PDB file of all heavy atoms in Angstrom:
ATOM      1  N   GLY A  22       0.786  -1.192   0.003  1.00 96.00           N
ATOM      2  CA  GLY A  22      -0.045  -0.009   0.024  1.00 96.00           C
ATOM      3  C   GLY A  22       0.860   1.291  -0.007  1.00 96.00           C
ATOM      4  O   GLY A  22       1.964   1.289  -0.613  1.00 96.00           O
ATOM      5  N   GLU A  23       0.426   2.240   0.736  1.00 96.00           N
ATOM      6  CA  GLU A  23       1.089   3.574   0.737  1.00 96.00           C
ATOM      7  C   GLU A  23       2.467   3.509   1.316  1.00 96.00           C
ATOM      8  O   GLU A  23       3.359   4.250   0.973  1.00 96.00           O
ATOM      9  CB  GLU A  23       0.304   4.591   1.584  1.00 96.00           C
ATOM     10  CG  GLU A  23      -0.486   5.547   0.823  1.00 96.00           C
ATOM     11  CD  GLU A  23      -1.246   6.464   1.767  1.00 96.00           C
ATOM     12  OE1 GLU A  23      -0.622   7.104   2.566  1.00 96.00           O
ATOM     13  OE2 GLU A  23      -2.476   6.519   1.631  1.00 96.00           O
ATOM     14  N   ARG A  24       2.724   2.568   2.263  1.00 97.00           N
ATOM     15  CA  ARG A  24       3.977   2.571   3.026  1.00 97.00           C
ATOM     16  C   ARG A  24       4.925   1.486   2.587  1.00 97.00           C
ATOM     17  O   ARG A  24       6.068   1.435   3.006  1.00 97.00           O
ATOM     18  CB  ARG A  24       3.741   2.532   4.505  1.00 97.00           C
ATOM     19  CG  ARG A  24       2.904   3.786   4.962  1.00 97.00           C
ATOM     20  CD  ARG A  24       2.761   3.832   6.412  1.00 97.00           C
ATOM     21  NE  ARG A  24       4.205   3.912   6.892  1.00 97.00           N
ATOM     22  CZ  ARG A  24       4.471   4.500   8.000  1.00 97.00           C
ATOM     23  NH1 ARG A  24       3.581   4.977   8.764  1.00 97.00           N
ATOM     24  NH2 ARG A  24       5.737   4.566   8.432  1.00 97.00           N
ATOM     25  N   PHE A  25       4.432   0.440   1.893  1.00 98.00           N
ATOM     26  CA  PHE A  25       5.157  -0.739   1.588  1.00 98.00           C
ATOM     27  C   PHE A  25       4.834  -1.341   0.304  1.00 98.00           C
ATOM     28  O   PHE A  25       3.681  -1.317  -0.131  1.00 98.00           O
ATOM     29  CB  PHE A  25       5.027  -1.771   2.725  1.00 98.00           C
ATOM     30  CG  PHE A  25       5.674  -3.099   2.477  1.00 98.00           C
ATOM     31  CD1 PHE A  25       7.041  -3.142   2.604  1.00 98.00           C
ATOM     32  CD2 PHE A  25       5.030  -4.192   2.076  1.00 98.00           C
ATOM     33  CE1 PHE A  25       7.727  -4.340   2.397  1.00 98.00           C
ATOM     34  CE2 PHE A  25       5.652  -5.379   1.850  1.00 98.00           C
ATOM     35  CZ  PHE A  25       7.081  -5.466   1.989  1.00 98.00           C
ATOM     36  N   GLN A  26       5.858  -1.927  -0.395  1.00 98.00           N
ATOM     37  CA  GLN A  26       5.647  -2.574  -1.725  1.00 98.00           C
ATOM     38  C   GLN A  26       6.609  -3.744  -1.842  1.00 98.00           C
ATOM     39  O   GLN A  26       7.779  -3.585  -1.486  1.00 98.00           O
ATOM     40  CB  GLN A  26       5.940  -1.579  -2.844  1.00 98.00           C
ATOM     41  CG  GLN A  26       5.862  -2.202  -4.259  1.00 98.00           C
ATOM     42  CD  GLN A  26       4.455  -2.469  -4.748  1.00 98.00           C
ATOM     43  OE1 GLN A  26       3.521  -1.718  -4.524  1.00 98.00           O
ATOM     44  NE2 GLN A  26       4.325  -3.629  -5.365  1.00 98.00           N
ATOM     45  N   VAL A  27       6.099  -4.884  -2.340  1.00 98.00           N
ATOM     46  CA  VAL A  27       6.970  -6.011  -2.731  1.00 98.00           C
ATOM     47  C   VAL A  27       7.301  -5.783  -4.252  1.00 98.00           C
ATOM     48  O   VAL A  27       6.364  -5.630  -5.045  1.00 98.00           O
ATOM     49  CB  VAL A  27       6.266  -7.373  -2.511  1.00 98.00           C
ATOM     50  CG1 VAL A  27       7.232  -8.446  -3.049  1.00 98.00           C
ATOM     51  CG2 VAL A  27       5.957  -7.580  -1.040  1.00 98.00           C
ATOM     52  N   LEU A  28       8.530  -5.769  -4.564  1.00 98.00           N
ATOM     53  CA  LEU A  28       8.930  -5.822  -5.938  1.00 98.00           C
ATOM     54  C   LEU A  28       9.699  -7.102  -6.252  1.00 98.00           C
ATOM     55  O   LEU A  28      10.632  -7.422  -5.701  1.00 98.00           O
ATOM     56  CB  LEU A  28       9.940  -4.624  -6.233  1.00 98.00           C
ATOM     57  CG  LEU A  28       9.424  -3.226  -5.978  1.00 98.00           C
ATOM     58  CD1 LEU A  28      10.474  -2.209  -6.337  1.00 98.00           C
ATOM     59  CD2 LEU A  28       8.141  -2.971  -6.782  1.00 98.00           C
ATOM     60  N   THR A  29       9.149  -7.856  -7.209  1.00 98.00           N
ATOM     61  CA  THR A  29       9.822  -9.095  -7.641  1.00 98.00           C
ATOM     62  C   THR A  29      10.386  -8.823  -9.015  1.00 98.00           C
ATOM     63  O   THR A  29       9.684  -8.407  -9.915  1.00 98.00           O
ATOM     64  CB  THR A  29       8.770 -10.245  -7.678  1.00 98.00           C
ATOM     65  OG1 THR A  29       7.625  -9.905  -8.423  1.00 98.00           O
ATOM     66  CG2 THR A  29       8.334 -10.653  -6.251  1.00 98.00           C
ATOM     67  N   ILE A  30      11.631  -9.126  -9.175  1.00 98.00           N
ATOM     68  CA  ILE A  30      12.355  -8.749 -10.380  1.00 98.00           C
ATOM     69  C   ILE A  30      12.956  -9.993 -10.968  1.00 98.00           C
ATOM     70  O   ILE A  30      13.924 -10.600 -10.408  1.00 98.00           O
ATOM     71  CB  ILE A  30      13.492  -7.689 -10.129  1.00 98.00           C
ATOM     72  CG1 ILE A  30      12.831  -6.426  -9.446  1.00 98.00           C
ATOM     73  CG2 ILE A  30      14.186  -7.310 -11.407  1.00 98.00           C
ATOM     74  CD1 ILE A  30      13.804  -5.354  -9.110  1.00 98.00           C
ATOM     75  N   ALA A  31      12.453 -10.490 -12.125  1.00 98.00           N
ATOM     76  CA  ALA A  31      12.920 -11.596 -12.867  1.00 98.00           C
ATOM     77  C   ALA A  31      14.336 -11.196 -13.364  1.00 98.00           C
ATOM     78  O   ALA A  31      14.439 -10.265 -14.240  1.00 98.00           O
ATOM     79  CB  ALA A  31      12.001 -11.950 -14.016  1.00 98.00           C
ATOM     80  N   THR A  32      15.280 -11.930 -12.928  1.00 97.00           N
ATOM     81  CA  THR A  32      16.761 -11.511 -13.225  1.00 97.00           C
ATOM     82  C   THR A  32      17.346 -12.515 -14.220  1.00 97.00           C
ATOM     83  O   THR A  32      17.249 -13.675 -14.074  1.00 97.00           O
ATOM     84  CB  THR A  32      17.485 -11.505 -11.883  1.00 97.00           C
ATOM     85  OG1 THR A  32      16.832 -10.727 -10.995  1.00 97.00           O
ATOM     86  CG2 THR A  32      18.880 -11.049 -12.044  1.00 97.00           C
ATOM     87  N   GLY A  33      18.038 -11.926 -15.232  1.00 96.00           N
ATOM     88  CA  GLY A  33      18.612 -12.721 -16.268  1.00 96.00           C
ATOM     89  C   GLY A  33      17.737 -13.047 -17.415  1.00 96.00           C
ATOM     90  O   GLY A  33      16.722 -12.350 -17.616  1.00 96.00           O
ATOM     91  N   ARG A  34      18.009 -14.153 -18.091  1.00 94.00           N
ATOM     92  CA  ARG A  34      17.221 -14.515 -19.230  1.00 94.00           C
ATOM     93  C   ARG A  34      15.967 -15.240 -18.829  1.00 94.00           C
ATOM     94  O   ARG A  34      15.959 -16.414 -18.487  1.00 94.00           O
ATOM     95  CB  ARG A  34      18.073 -15.450 -20.159  1.00 94.00           C
ATOM     96  CG  ARG A  34      19.249 -14.742 -20.736  1.00 94.00           C
ATOM     97  CD  ARG A  34      20.037 -15.692 -21.621  1.00 94.00           C
ATOM     98  NE  ARG A  34      21.204 -15.005 -22.067  1.00 94.00           N
ATOM     99  CZ  ARG A  34      22.237 -15.602 -22.623  1.00 94.00           C
ATOM    100  NH1 ARG A  34      22.193 -16.875 -22.845  1.00 94.00           N
ATOM    101  NH2 ARG A  34      23.237 -14.866 -22.981  1.00 94.00           N
ATOM    102  N   ASN A  35      14.840 -14.489 -18.833  1.00 94.00           N
ATOM    103  CA  ASN A  35      13.572 -14.949 -18.450  1.00 94.00           C
ATOM    104  C   ASN A  35      12.596 -14.426 -19.541  1.00 94.00           C
ATOM    105  O   ASN A  35      12.077 -13.276 -19.386  1.00 94.00           O
ATOM    106  CB  ASN A  35      13.100 -14.466 -17.089  1.00 94.00           C
ATOM    107  CG  ASN A  35      14.028 -14.943 -16.011  1.00 94.00           C
ATOM    108  OD1 ASN A  35      13.843 -16.135 -15.587  1.00 94.00           O
ATOM    109  ND2 ASN A  35      14.922 -14.166 -15.537  1.00 94.00           N
ATOM    110  N   PRO A  36      12.355 -15.185 -20.588  1.00 95.00           N
ATOM    111  CA  PRO A  36      11.405 -14.724 -21.598  1.00 95.00           C
ATOM    112  C   PRO A  36      10.067 -14.319 -21.005  1.00 95.00           C
ATOM    113  O   PRO A  36       9.547 -14.954 -20.064  1.00 95.00           O
ATOM    114  CB  PRO A  36      11.273 -15.887 -22.576  1.00 95.00           C
ATOM    115  CG  PRO A  36      12.400 -16.756 -22.314  1.00 95.00           C
ATOM    116  CD  PRO A  36      12.783 -16.574 -20.830  1.00 95.00           C
ATOM    117  N   PRO A  37       9.455 -13.245 -21.628  1.00 96.00           N
ATOM    118  CA  PRO A  37       8.162 -12.848 -21.075  1.00 96.00           C
ATOM    119  C   PRO A  37       7.149 -13.977 -20.935  1.00 96.00           C
ATOM    120  O   PRO A  37       6.404 -14.083 -19.922  1.00 96.00           O
ATOM    121  CB  PRO A  37       7.692 -11.825 -22.041  1.00 96.00           C
ATOM    122  CG  PRO A  37       8.929 -11.259 -22.653  1.00 96.00           C
ATOM    123  CD  PRO A  37       9.934 -12.384 -22.654  1.00 96.00           C
ATOM    124  N   ALA A  38       7.057 -14.867 -21.914  1.00 96.00           N
ATOM    125  CA  ALA A  38       6.075 -15.973 -21.799  1.00 96.00           C
ATOM    126  C   ALA A  38       6.408 -16.868 -20.653  1.00 96.00           C
ATOM    127  O   ALA A  38       5.447 -17.345 -19.874  1.00 96.00           O
ATOM    128  CB  ALA A  38       6.068 -16.801 -23.101  1.00 96.00           C
ATOM    129  N   ALA A  39       7.647 -17.097 -20.377  1.00 96.00           N
ATOM    130  CA  ALA A  39       7.992 -17.926 -19.193  1.00 96.00           C
ATOM    131  C   ALA A  39       7.723 -17.236 -17.883  1.00 96.00           C
ATOM    132  O   ALA A  39       7.278 -17.846 -16.955  1.00 96.00           O
ATOM    133  CB  ALA A  39       9.557 -18.241 -19.260  1.00 96.00           C
ATOM    134  N   VAL A  40       7.910 -15.890 -17.882  1.00 97.00           N
ATOM    135  CA  VAL A  40       7.557 -15.154 -16.604  1.00 97.00           C
ATOM    136  C   VAL A  40       6.067 -15.187 -16.359  1.00 97.00           C
ATOM    137  O   VAL A  40       5.643 -15.505 -15.193  1.00 97.00           O
ATOM    138  CB  VAL A  40       7.986 -13.622 -16.738  1.00 97.00           C
ATOM    139  CG1 VAL A  40       7.487 -12.844 -15.614  1.00 97.00           C
ATOM    140  CG2 VAL A  40       9.496 -13.581 -16.827  1.00 97.00           C
ATOM    141  N   HIS A  41       5.256 -14.982 -17.376  1.00 96.00           N
ATOM    142  CA  HIS A  41       3.823 -15.071 -17.226  1.00 96.00           C
ATOM    143  C   HIS A  41       3.362 -16.457 -16.794  1.00 96.00           C
ATOM    144  O   HIS A  41       2.501 -16.593 -15.859  1.00 96.00           O
ATOM    145  CB  HIS A  41       3.098 -14.659 -18.535  1.00 96.00           C
ATOM    146  CG  HIS A  41       3.141 -13.161 -18.781  1.00 96.00           C
ATOM    147  ND1 HIS A  41       2.595 -12.217 -17.974  1.00 96.00           N
ATOM    148  CD2 HIS A  41       3.616 -12.472 -19.864  1.00 96.00           C
ATOM    149  CE1 HIS A  41       2.837 -11.075 -18.406  1.00 96.00           C
ATOM    150  NE2 HIS A  41       3.422 -11.108 -19.658  1.00 96.00           N
ATOM    151  N   LYS A  42       3.947 -17.457 -17.365  1.00 97.00           N
ATOM    152  CA  LYS A  42       3.562 -18.874 -17.056  1.00 97.00           C
ATOM    153  C   LYS A  42       3.945 -19.172 -15.587  1.00 97.00           C
ATOM    154  O   LYS A  42       3.157 -19.744 -14.849  1.00 97.00           O
ATOM    155  CB  LYS A  42       4.311 -19.836 -17.995  1.00 97.00           C
ATOM    156  CG  LYS A  42       4.008 -21.271 -17.715  1.00 97.00           C
ATOM    157  CD  LYS A  42       4.707 -22.250 -18.662  1.00 97.00           C
ATOM    158  CE  LYS A  42       4.336 -23.643 -18.295  1.00 97.00           C
ATOM    159  NZ  LYS A  42       5.233 -24.529 -19.002  1.00 97.00           N
ATOM    160  N   PHE A  43       5.183 -18.776 -15.229  1.00 96.00           N
ATOM    161  CA  PHE A  43       5.654 -18.948 -13.862  1.00 96.00           C
ATOM    162  C   PHE A  43       4.707 -18.301 -12.831  1.00 96.00           C
ATOM    163  O   PHE A  43       4.361 -18.993 -11.867  1.00 96.00           O
ATOM    164  CB  PHE A  43       7.094 -18.341 -13.751  1.00 96.00           C
ATOM    165  CG  PHE A  43       7.712 -18.438 -12.347  1.00 96.00           C
ATOM    166  CD1 PHE A  43       8.600 -19.463 -12.083  1.00 96.00           C
ATOM    167  CD2 PHE A  43       7.405 -17.580 -11.374  1.00 96.00           C
ATOM    168  CE1 PHE A  43       9.254 -19.570 -10.834  1.00 96.00           C
ATOM    169  CE2 PHE A  43       7.952 -17.654 -10.137  1.00 96.00           C
ATOM    170  CZ  PHE A  43       8.914 -18.649  -9.829  1.00 96.00           C
ATOM    171  N   LEU A  44       4.328 -17.051 -13.055  1.00 96.00           N
ATOM    172  CA  LEU A  44       3.512 -16.367 -12.128  1.00 96.00           C
ATOM    173  C   LEU A  44       2.106 -16.929 -12.076  1.00 96.00           C
ATOM    174  O   LEU A  44       1.504 -17.046 -10.973  1.00 96.00           O
ATOM    175  CB  LEU A  44       3.461 -14.814 -12.479  1.00 96.00           C
ATOM    176  CG  LEU A  44       4.819 -14.144 -12.264  1.00 96.00           C
ATOM    177  CD1 LEU A  44       4.764 -12.666 -12.773  1.00 96.00           C
ATOM    178  CD2 LEU A  44       5.283 -14.225 -10.871  1.00 96.00           C
ATOM    179  N   ALA A  45       1.612 -17.295 -13.287  1.00 96.00           N
ATOM    180  CA  ALA A  45       0.253 -17.964 -13.306  1.00 96.00           C
ATOM    181  C   ALA A  45       0.235 -19.307 -12.514  1.00 96.00           C
ATOM    182  O   ALA A  45      -0.631 -19.574 -11.732  1.00 96.00           O
ATOM    183  CB  ALA A  45      -0.174 -18.178 -14.697  1.00 96.00           C
ATOM    184  N   GLU A  46       1.288 -20.098 -12.784  1.00 96.00           N
ATOM    185  CA  GLU A  46       1.327 -21.402 -12.065  1.00 96.00           C
ATOM    186  C   GLU A  46       1.526 -21.213 -10.565  1.00 96.00           C
ATOM    187  O   GLU A  46       1.040 -22.017  -9.751  1.00 96.00           O
ATOM    188  CB  GLU A  46       2.544 -22.221 -12.600  1.00 96.00           C
ATOM    189  CG  GLU A  46       2.255 -22.740 -13.957  1.00 96.00           C
ATOM    190  CD  GLU A  46       3.474 -23.511 -14.561  1.00 96.00           C
ATOM    191  OE1 GLU A  46       4.554 -23.451 -13.996  1.00 96.00           O
ATOM    192  OE2 GLU A  46       3.379 -24.042 -15.631  1.00 96.00           O
ATOM    193  N   ALA A  47       2.248 -20.136 -10.081  1.00 95.00           N
ATOM    194  CA  ALA A  47       2.318 -19.840  -8.643  1.00 95.00           C
ATOM    195  C   ALA A  47       1.131 -19.178  -8.097  1.00 95.00           C
ATOM    196  O   ALA A  47       1.078 -19.014  -6.867  1.00 95.00           O
ATOM    197  CB  ALA A  47       3.588 -19.015  -8.475  1.00 95.00           C
ATOM    198  N   GLY A  48       0.181 -18.827  -8.932  1.00 96.00           N
ATOM    199  CA  GLY A  48      -1.051 -18.181  -8.396  1.00 96.00           C
ATOM    200  C   GLY A  48      -0.844 -16.733  -8.041  1.00 96.00           C
ATOM    201  O   GLY A  48      -1.596 -16.183  -7.168  1.00 96.00           O
ATOM    202  N   VAL A  49       0.153 -16.072  -8.576  1.00 97.00           N
ATOM    203  CA  VAL A  49       0.492 -14.701  -8.237  1.00 97.00           C
ATOM    204  C   VAL A  49      -0.419 -13.759  -8.894  1.00 97.00           C
ATOM    205  O   VAL A  49      -0.662 -13.773 -10.102  1.00 97.00           O
ATOM    206  CB  VAL A  49       1.988 -14.375  -8.563  1.00 97.00           C
ATOM    207  CG1 VAL A  49       2.250 -12.925  -8.473  1.00 97.00           C
ATOM    208  CG2 VAL A  49       2.898 -15.215  -7.726  1.00 97.00           C
ATOM    209  N   THR A  50      -1.068 -12.886  -8.180  1.00 96.00           N
ATOM    210  CA  THR A  50      -1.959 -11.870  -8.718  1.00 96.00           C
ATOM    211  C   THR A  50      -1.681 -10.442  -8.256  1.00 96.00           C
ATOM    212  O   THR A  50      -2.196  -9.456  -8.877  1.00 96.00           O
ATOM    213  CB  THR A  50      -3.428 -12.190  -8.303  1.00 96.00           C
ATOM    214  OG1 THR A  50      -3.540 -12.190  -6.863  1.00 96.00           O
ATOM    215  CG2 THR A  50      -3.859 -13.551  -8.840  1.00 96.00           C
ATOM    216  N   ALA A  51      -0.832 -10.230  -7.295  1.00 97.00           N
ATOM    217  CA  ALA A  51      -0.613  -8.861  -6.754  1.00 97.00           C
ATOM    218  C   ALA A  51       0.732  -8.273  -6.970  1.00 97.00           C
ATOM    219  O   ALA A  51       1.015  -7.219  -6.506  1.00 97.00           O
ATOM    220  CB  ALA A  51      -0.907  -8.895  -5.194  1.00 97.00           C
ATOM    221  N   LEU A  52       1.586  -9.048  -7.637  1.00 96.00           N
ATOM    222  CA  LEU A  52       2.999  -8.622  -7.819  1.00 96.00           C
ATOM    223  C   LEU A  52       3.221  -7.979  -9.205  1.00 96.00           C
ATOM    224  O   LEU A  52       2.646  -8.501 -10.205  1.00 96.00           O
ATOM    225  CB  LEU A  52       3.936  -9.702  -7.548  1.00 96.00           C
ATOM    226  CG  LEU A  52       3.893 -10.257  -6.145  1.00 96.00           C
ATOM    227  CD1 LEU A  52       4.822 -11.546  -6.020  1.00 96.00           C
ATOM    228  CD2 LEU A  52       4.335  -9.225  -5.074  1.00 96.00           C
ATOM    229  N   PRO A  53       4.114  -6.997  -9.326  1.00 93.00           N
ATOM    230  CA  PRO A  53       4.449  -6.492 -10.608  1.00 93.00           C
ATOM    231  C   PRO A  53       5.291  -7.424 -11.431  1.00 93.00           C
ATOM    232  O   PRO A  53       5.984  -8.255 -10.892  1.00 93.00           O
ATOM    233  CB  PRO A  53       5.211  -5.155 -10.271  1.00 93.00           C
ATOM    234  CG  PRO A  53       5.864  -5.469  -8.970  1.00 93.00           C
ATOM    235  CD  PRO A  53       4.829  -6.368  -8.244  1.00 93.00           C
ATOM    236  N   THR A  54       5.323  -7.249 -12.728  1.00 93.00           N
ATOM    237  CA  THR A  54       6.153  -8.059 -13.627  1.00 93.00           C
ATOM    238  C   THR A  54       7.317  -7.226 -14.053  1.00 93.00           C
ATOM    239  O   THR A  54       7.360  -6.633 -15.112  1.00 93.00           O
ATOM    240  CB  THR A  54       5.390  -8.582 -14.864  1.00 93.00           C
ATOM    241  OG1 THR A  54       4.742  -7.462 -15.559  1.00 93.00           O
ATOM    242  CG2 THR A  54       4.274  -9.572 -14.485  1.00 93.00           C
ATOM    243  N   LEU A  55       8.353  -7.228 -13.203  1.00 97.00           N
ATOM    244  CA  LEU A  55       9.549  -6.416 -13.465  1.00 97.00           C
ATOM    245  C   LEU A  55      10.706  -7.404 -13.847  1.00 97.00           C
ATOM    246  O   LEU A  55      10.724  -8.541 -13.414  1.00 97.00           O
ATOM    247  CB  LEU A  55       9.952  -5.690 -12.136  1.00 97.00           C
ATOM    248  CG  LEU A  55       8.888  -4.773 -11.588  1.00 97.00           C
ATOM    249  CD1 LEU A  55       9.209  -4.268 -10.248  1.00 97.00           C
ATOM    250  CD2 LEU A  55       8.627  -3.623 -12.590  1.00 97.00           C
ATOM    251  N   THR A  56      11.637  -6.875 -14.676  1.00 97.00           N
ATOM    252  CA  THR A  56      12.688  -7.743 -15.243  1.00 97.00           C
ATOM    253  C   THR A  56      14.007  -6.891 -15.155  1.00 97.00           C
ATOM    254  O   THR A  56      14.014  -5.671 -15.231  1.00 97.00           O
ATOM    255  CB  THR A  56      12.406  -8.141 -16.604  1.00 97.00           C
ATOM    256  OG1 THR A  56      12.408  -7.036 -17.479  1.00 97.00           O
ATOM    257  CG2 THR A  56      11.178  -8.935 -16.722  1.00 97.00           C
ATOM    258  N   ASP A  57      15.097  -7.713 -15.035  1.00 98.00           N
ATOM    259  CA  ASP A  57      16.463  -7.161 -15.091  1.00 98.00           C
ATOM    260  C   ASP A  57      17.251  -8.119 -15.999  1.00 98.00           C
ATOM    261  O   ASP A  57      18.056  -8.902 -15.576  1.00 98.00           O
ATOM    262  CB  ASP A  57      17.020  -7.224 -13.635  1.00 98.00           C
ATOM    263  CG  ASP A  57      18.448  -6.625 -13.562  1.00 98.00           C
ATOM    264  OD1 ASP A  57      18.882  -5.837 -14.467  1.00 98.00           O
ATOM    265  OD2 ASP A  57      19.126  -6.916 -12.523  1.00 98.00           O
ATOM    266  N   PRO A  58      16.971  -8.080 -17.361  1.00 96.00           N
ATOM    267  CA  PRO A  58      17.509  -9.137 -18.217  1.00 96.00           C
ATOM    268  C   PRO A  58      18.996  -9.079 -18.409  1.00 96.00           C
ATOM    269  O   PRO A  58      19.660 -10.070 -18.638  1.00 96.00           O
ATOM    270  CB  PRO A  58      16.810  -8.719 -19.581  1.00 96.00           C
ATOM    271  CG  PRO A  58      16.346  -7.332 -19.440  1.00 96.00           C
ATOM    272  CD  PRO A  58      16.066  -7.139 -17.995  1.00 96.00           C
ATOM    273  N   GLN A  59      19.594  -7.867 -18.185  1.00 96.00           N
ATOM    274  CA  GLN A  59      21.101  -7.814 -18.249  1.00 96.00           C
ATOM    275  C   GLN A  59      21.791  -7.931 -16.947  1.00 96.00           C
ATOM    276  O   GLN A  59      22.973  -7.736 -16.864  1.00 96.00           O
ATOM    277  CB  GLN A  59      21.444  -6.434 -18.933  1.00 96.00           C
ATOM    278  CG  GLN A  59      20.904  -6.255 -20.316  1.00 96.00           C
ATOM    279  CD  GLN A  59      21.203  -7.332 -21.275  1.00 96.00           C
ATOM    280  OE1 GLN A  59      22.381  -7.694 -21.399  1.00 96.00           O
ATOM    281  NE2 GLN A  59      20.277  -7.774 -22.045  1.00 96.00           N
ATOM    282  N   LEU A  60      21.020  -8.195 -15.908  1.00 97.00           N
ATOM    283  CA  LEU A  60      21.518  -8.318 -14.542  1.00 97.00           C
ATOM    284  C   LEU A  60      22.172  -7.134 -14.031  1.00 97.00           C
ATOM    285  O   LEU A  60      23.021  -7.153 -13.083  1.00 97.00           O
ATOM    286  CB  LEU A  60      22.468  -9.554 -14.484  1.00 97.00           C
ATOM    287  CG  LEU A  60      21.792 -10.907 -14.720  1.00 97.00           C
ATOM    288  CD1 LEU A  60      22.641 -11.645 -15.839  1.00 97.00           C
ATOM    289  CD2 LEU A  60      21.778 -11.780 -13.528  1.00 97.00           C
ATOM    290  N   ALA A  61      21.844  -5.943 -14.556  1.00 97.00           N
ATOM    291  CA  ALA A  61      22.514  -4.731 -14.180  1.00 97.00           C
ATOM    292  C   ALA A  61      22.184  -4.340 -12.702  1.00 97.00           C
ATOM    293  O   ALA A  61      23.068  -4.128 -11.902  1.00 97.00           O
ATOM    294  CB  ALA A  61      22.134  -3.604 -15.077  1.00 97.00           C
ATOM    295  N   LEU A  62      20.888  -4.363 -12.365  1.00 98.00           N
ATOM    296  CA  LEU A  62      20.538  -4.075 -10.933  1.00 98.00           C
ATOM    297  C   LEU A  62      21.019  -5.196 -10.010  1.00 98.00           C
ATOM    298  O   LEU A  62      21.524  -4.913  -8.938  1.00 98.00           O
ATOM    299  CB  LEU A  62      19.029  -3.911 -10.838  1.00 98.00           C
ATOM    300  CG  LEU A  62      18.548  -3.578  -9.398  1.00 98.00           C
ATOM    301  CD1 LEU A  62      19.137  -2.267  -8.888  1.00 98.00           C
ATOM    302  CD2 LEU A  62      16.982  -3.511  -9.392  1.00 98.00           C
ATOM    303  N   ALA A  63      20.928  -6.384 -10.428  1.00 98.00           N
ATOM    304  CA  ALA A  63      21.340  -7.477  -9.602  1.00 98.00           C
ATOM    305  C   ALA A  63      22.855  -7.417  -9.350  1.00 98.00           C
ATOM    306  O   ALA A  63      23.276  -7.552  -8.176  1.00 98.00           O
ATOM    307  CB  ALA A  63      21.081  -8.831 -10.254  1.00 98.00           C
ATOM    308  N   ARG A  64      23.670  -7.154 -10.335  1.00 98.00           N
ATOM    309  CA  ARG A  64      25.061  -6.911 -10.132  1.00 98.00           C
ATOM    310  C   ARG A  64      25.356  -5.788  -9.177  1.00 98.00           C
ATOM    311  O   ARG A  64      26.205  -5.888  -8.252  1.00 98.00           O
ATOM    312  CB  ARG A  64      25.861  -6.811 -11.418  1.00 98.00           C
ATOM    313  CG  ARG A  64      26.092  -8.120 -12.046  1.00 98.00           C
ATOM    314  CD  ARG A  64      27.223  -7.937 -13.159  1.00 98.00           C
ATOM    315  NE  ARG A  64      26.645  -7.252 -14.359  1.00 98.00           N
ATOM    316  CZ  ARG A  64      26.131  -7.810 -15.347  1.00 98.00           C
ATOM    317  NH1 ARG A  64      25.993  -9.132 -15.397  1.00 98.00           N
ATOM    318  NH2 ARG A  64      25.651  -7.148 -16.397  1.00 98.00           N
ATOM    319  N   ALA A  65      24.704  -4.684  -9.447  1.00 98.00           N
ATOM    320  CA  ALA A  65      24.925  -3.463  -8.652  1.00 98.00           C
ATOM    321  C   ALA A  65      24.496  -3.722  -7.165  1.00 98.00           C
ATOM    322  O   ALA A  65      25.015  -3.048  -6.308  1.00 98.00           O
ATOM    323  CB  ALA A  65      24.147  -2.285  -9.248  1.00 98.00           C
ATOM    324  N   SER A  66      23.543  -4.606  -6.964  1.00 97.00           N
ATOM    325  CA  SER A  66      23.117  -4.966  -5.641  1.00 97.00           C
ATOM    326  C   SER A  66      23.880  -6.048  -4.968  1.00 97.00           C
ATOM    327  O   SER A  66      23.548  -6.463  -3.852  1.00 97.00           O
ATOM    328  CB  SER A  66      21.548  -5.313  -5.682  1.00 97.00           C
ATOM    329  OG  SER A  66      20.822  -4.241  -6.229  1.00 97.00           O
TER     330      SER A  66
END
């Protein structure tokens, strides 16, 4: 909500279709579909 957010970031090679399938199979409905395909944020973190 206003004070807190979960950000899930698919990191590396995760094709959009695979991300959607993964989230659907996990029953995820409230999380954003964010990606870091070049691992730039992951490496910096």
Side-chain angles (χ1 to χ4, degrees):
E23 257 183 56
R24 300 187 63 151
F25 176 73
Q26 174 73 43
V27 176
L28 300 179
T29 51
I30 303 176
T32 306
R34 295 181 184 167
N35 295 283
V40 170
H41 286 301
K42 180 180 178 193
F43 178 100
L44 295 174
E46 288 174 353
V49 170
T50 59
L52 299 174
T54 53
L55 303 170
T56 64
D57 183 21
Q59 303 301 316
L60 297 126
L62 180 60
R64 276 195 289 270
S66 300

